[in-house]
């Protein structure tokens, strides 16, 4: 009986056809992703834009371009210098005679107007002109321009021997004027002042002079600016 069962088992195995390899799986070729259009970017400002006291790679606008590289944002052209007021930035723009048009323009100006004790009314008038200049750089498109608020240097280590509360109050007034002017011009306004007010306890947030900001801190500005830039570029 066992021999009979074994015979049929062997017979069954012998009749089994050898397994054949399944047809190889193929994946349809993927179309290459189109390269992002090159986004020319211009950054206008003062010491905070030029990155006083830090390497060029730590400037917030440069970091923004790095974060937005996949979106095509190019390293910025920069018109900025430490100490410039709104009037001095406008004069420098005229002197530069830059006739290029950009897909993205940022503006960050006003701290030196406040530092020198200039009236908010003067700042407002000169900023209004600067915003129109920025819009012209953007090809007449206010929707491609954004402005960063003025950092509160009254909360910096440098300001320990100054009237910090007065500085903060004045910065608020200048920023309120800037926000109003941006709204009227159709320009996006980005508040980074609150971030600067939380930096004081951490020395790594500041450049060696204790007044300007480190690349570590300005990275936060760039991170806040990235979704704004992406929205403007849609």
């Amino acid at each position: 009986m066992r021999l009979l069962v074994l015979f049929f088992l062997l017979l069954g195995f012998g009749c089994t056809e050898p397994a054949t390899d399944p047809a190889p799986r193929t994946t349809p070729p993927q179309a290459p992703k189109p390269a992002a259009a090159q986004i020319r970017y211009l950054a206008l400002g003062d010491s905070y834009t030029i990155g006083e006291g830090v390497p060029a790679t730590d400037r917030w606008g440069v970091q923004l371009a790095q974060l937005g590289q996949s979106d095509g944002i190019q390293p910025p052209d920069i018109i900025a210098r430490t100490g410039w007021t709104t009037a001095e930035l406008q004069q420098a723009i005229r002197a530069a005679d830059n006739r290029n048009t950009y897909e993205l323009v940022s503006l960050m100006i006003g701290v030196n107007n406040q530092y020198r004790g200039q009236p908010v009314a003067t700042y407002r008038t000169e900023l209004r002109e600067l915003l129109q200049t920025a819009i012209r750089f953007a090809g007449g498109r206010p929707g491609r321009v954004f402005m960063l608020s003025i950092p509160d240097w009254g909360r910096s280590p440098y300001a320990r021997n100054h009237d910090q509360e007065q500085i903060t109050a004045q910065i608020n007034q200048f920023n309120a004027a800037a926000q109003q002017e941006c709204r009227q011009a159709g320009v996006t306004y980005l508040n980074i002042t609150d971030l600067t007010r939380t930096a004081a306890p951490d020395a790594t947030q500041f450049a060696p002079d204790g007044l300007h900001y480190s690349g570590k801190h300005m990275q936060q500005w760039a991170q806040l600016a990235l979704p704004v830039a992406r929205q403007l570029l849609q």
Side-chain angles (χ1 to χ4, degrees):
M1 183 65 180
R2 291 179 180 176
L3 291 175
L4 186 59
V5 171
L6 181 60
F7 170 77
F8 281 110
L9 286 174
L10 291 173
L11 181 63
F13 289 147
C15 293
T16 302
E17 293 183 1
T20 58
D21 292 334
R25 296 180 180 180
T26 59
T27 303
Q30 298 293 320
K33 293 181 66 176
Q38 288 196 349
I39 305 300
R40 300 188 68 186
Y41 168 35
L42 174 66
L44 306 171
D46 50 34
S47 58
Y48 296 127
T49 295
I50 202 65
E52 177 68 25
V54 302
T57 53
D58 283 349
R59 295 167 177 165
W60 78 264
V62 174
Q63 293 196 66
L64 170 60
Q66 182 63 34
L67 291 172
Q69 189 173 22
S70 62
D71 301 284
I73 301 177
Q74 302 299 297
D77 290 346
I78 298 176
I79 303 177
R81 181 174 293 178
T82 299
W84 276 353
T85 62
T86 43
E88 289 163 340
L89 174 57
Q90 189 69 278
Q91 290 168 6
I93 291 171
R94 294 191 187 103
D97 195 27
N98 184 344
R99 302 184 185 185
N100 294 324
T101 299
Y102 297 84
E103 285 72 46
L104 188 66
V105 180
S106 67
L107 177 64
M108 190 179 192
I109 194 73
V111 69
N112 296 297
N113 297 69
Q114 180 274 328
Y115 183 80
R116 298 187 197 178
Q118 296 182 1
V120 174
T122 301
Y123 172 67
R124 183 189 292 275
T125 300
E126 294 173 352
L127 177 62
R128 190 175 299 157
E129 182 182 354
L130 268 175
L131 287 169
Q132 292 307 312
T133 298
I135 291 169
R136 285 198 296 274
F137 274 124
R141 299 169 293 180
R144 291 298 182 90
V145 181
F146 67 103
M147 180 174 183
L148 274 66
S149 64
I150 303 169
D152 188 352
W153 68 275
R155 305 295 179 90
S156 70
Y158 178 88
R160 286 172 185 153
N161 296 324
H162 293 73
D163 188 337
Q164 295 176 297
E165 294 305 318
Q166 182 184 47
I167 295 167
T168 293
Q170 291 176 352
I171 292 291
N172 286 342
Q173 293 171 4
F174 276 79
N175 277 332
Q179 188 169 15
Q180 291 169 0
E181 291 303 319
C182 284
R183 186 182 301 116
Q184 291 179 11
V187 167
T188 298
Y189 178 84
L190 177 61
N191 176 18
I192 56 89
T193 309
D194 292 344
L195 279 175
T196 68
R197 288 173 173 160
T198 64
D202 184 1
T204 67
Q205 302 286 318
F206 293 91
D209 62 10
L211 173 60
H212 297 94
Y213 296 91
S214 66
K216 175 182 176 181
H217 180 80
M218 287 191 288
Q219 183 182 53
Q220 298 176 74
W221 303 356
Q223 289 169 339
L224 279 181
L226 180 61
V228 171
R230 283 174 170 164
Q231 181 67 31
L232 296 181
L233 293 169
Q234 287 183 357

